[in-house]
Amino acid sequence: MSVLNDCVALVRIDSQNPGALEHACATWLEERLRRAEITASRRETADGRPNLVAAVPGTGQAPRLVLLAHMDTVPVGEGWSIGPLSGTVRDGAVWGRGAADMKAGLAVAIAVLESLSAGPPSPGDVMLCATADEEGPDMAGIHALVAEGIVGEGDQVLALEPTGLRLRLAQVGLRWLEVKVRGRMAHGGRAHRDGIDANHLAALMAVELKRRFPSLTREHELLGPARITCSGLRGGVAVNVVPASCTLTLDARIVPPLLPEDAERFTRQVAADVCAGFPGSTFELRRLGAARPPVVADESCPLVRGLRRAYRAETGRPLEHGGEDGHEAYTDASMVAALTGSRSCTVWGPGHPSQAHAADEHVTIAELETAQRVVTRLAR
């Protein structure tokens, strides 16, 4: 099997999250590795969803290289001009949901393990962790692998996410929050006497957060400014009724030295300030999903140095980083760094970041094949 054939086969497996999830993908991968005479172990998360772990042993002269590739995809969505689970090969690319994010990276990891298992041992063990729930709010798959000690601080961790073959040294952090605002219901005609408009209060909070959040810290050289999005505002029961409650959801993107708790603390203060101006109003703040602090890899770690050497050897060009390479995304590698304190976790892989979560998602065959060669050389 070639890396192209594996990518096509994987795209044709429905692993939408939420939706079909990862079971069929894990079963296919387990059988694919078995045919390559590579043993894989299935490890369930707390939700009963499978991670799959496989390794090719090395000589022990170098740190272990861990290749991360999640099996789930975001939902198909709308706007496709081609079958989203067709795995169509056209115009030098593979098309379909997950083609870039990130079944291309998973296909590359399979090819690397297969190549290593058929040749002399590499200096260090090379492990593939095919994870569940990367696209979910809790990232349950990688949390389980770190909790079990399968992946740890001493590993060199590479997520083969779509970066357009540009190195992603830093990844922005995030904190998802929900603010539930309580006002007082009243007749619309008596709003000025009896009511407290919860929608109005939530809107004031959103405006104030949007205005002040970027000034929490200076702009980061790689990650840009801190920013916040009001991703949802839901309230009201009828056009002539003052709304008694409103739910505001927020997506806060944070850069060093900020941490998720800083975003939470600031949001709580803004909400309290707004409610103070409307006696009788209250609010509740709730965290959504896992905390995701920003992370920055050490440019001198073996993984980054090795990846630069391997890329130059295979392409004749220096490995670029920065630019439009998806620093805004949070990956399993980011979470390993956050949970373990490691600075040897980074992201590099085939597929342009703009293809992730988009209609007509695709990855070029040229990037697939280049990634396979580079990562194989990195491992060796």
Side-chain angles (χ1 to χ4, degrees), residues 18-105:
L21 304 179
E22 306 87 1
H23 294 279
C25 191
T27 298
W28 180 92
L29 179 58
E30 198 168 19
E31 173 59 23
R32 173 69 181 87
L33 292 171
R34 188 194 63 76
R35 294 200 306 272
E37 299 183 349
I38 299 170
T39 300
S41 63
R42 188 181 289 240
R43 313 186 76 87
E44 305 295 332
T45 68
D47 296 331
R49 294 162 64 181
N51 289 319
L52 210 69
V53 177
V56 176
T59 63
Q61 298 171 303
R64 182 168 60 175
L65 173 63
V66 177
L67 304 176
L68 298 178
H70 61 84
M71 296 179 285
D72 59 328
T73 72
V74 296
V76 164
E78 300 178 350
W80 292 77
S81 66
I82 196 166
L85 298 177
S86 65
T88 297
V89 179
R90 188 187 71 189
D91 301 329
V94 181
W95 298 71
R97 174 56 79 225
D101 185 17
M102 62 170 299
K103 290 177 175 178

Side-chain angles (χ1 to χ4, degrees), residues 225-303:
R227 54 265 192 197
I228 194 165
T229 297
C230 171
S231 53
L233 196 154
R234 302 180 300 279
V237 294
V239 70
N240 59 344
V241 176
V242 176
S245 66
C246 182
T247 300
L248 172 67
T249 53
L250 299 161
D251 178 309
R253 302 281 161 156
I254 53 179
V255 302
L258 295 178
L259 295 171
E261 49 265 38
D262 295 318
E264 181 180 346
R265 188 181 305 111
F266 181 70
T267 301
R268 187 180 300 279
Q269 184 60 58
V270 167
D273 290 346
V274 169
C275 285
F278 297 83
S281 67
T282 60
F283 74 93
E284 297 174 8
L285 185 67
R286 186 167 72 94
R287 305 181 189 100
L288 302 177
R292 307 182 189 193
V295 294
V296 182
D298 182 355
E299 288 203 58
S300 67
C301 73
L303 173 60

Side-chain angles (χ1 to χ4, degrees), residues 178-192:
E178 177 187 88
V179 184
K180 187 161 287 186
V181 184
R182 301 284 184 185
R184 185 163 59 239
M185 185 181 293
H187 191 289
R190 297 180 59 84
H192 61 302

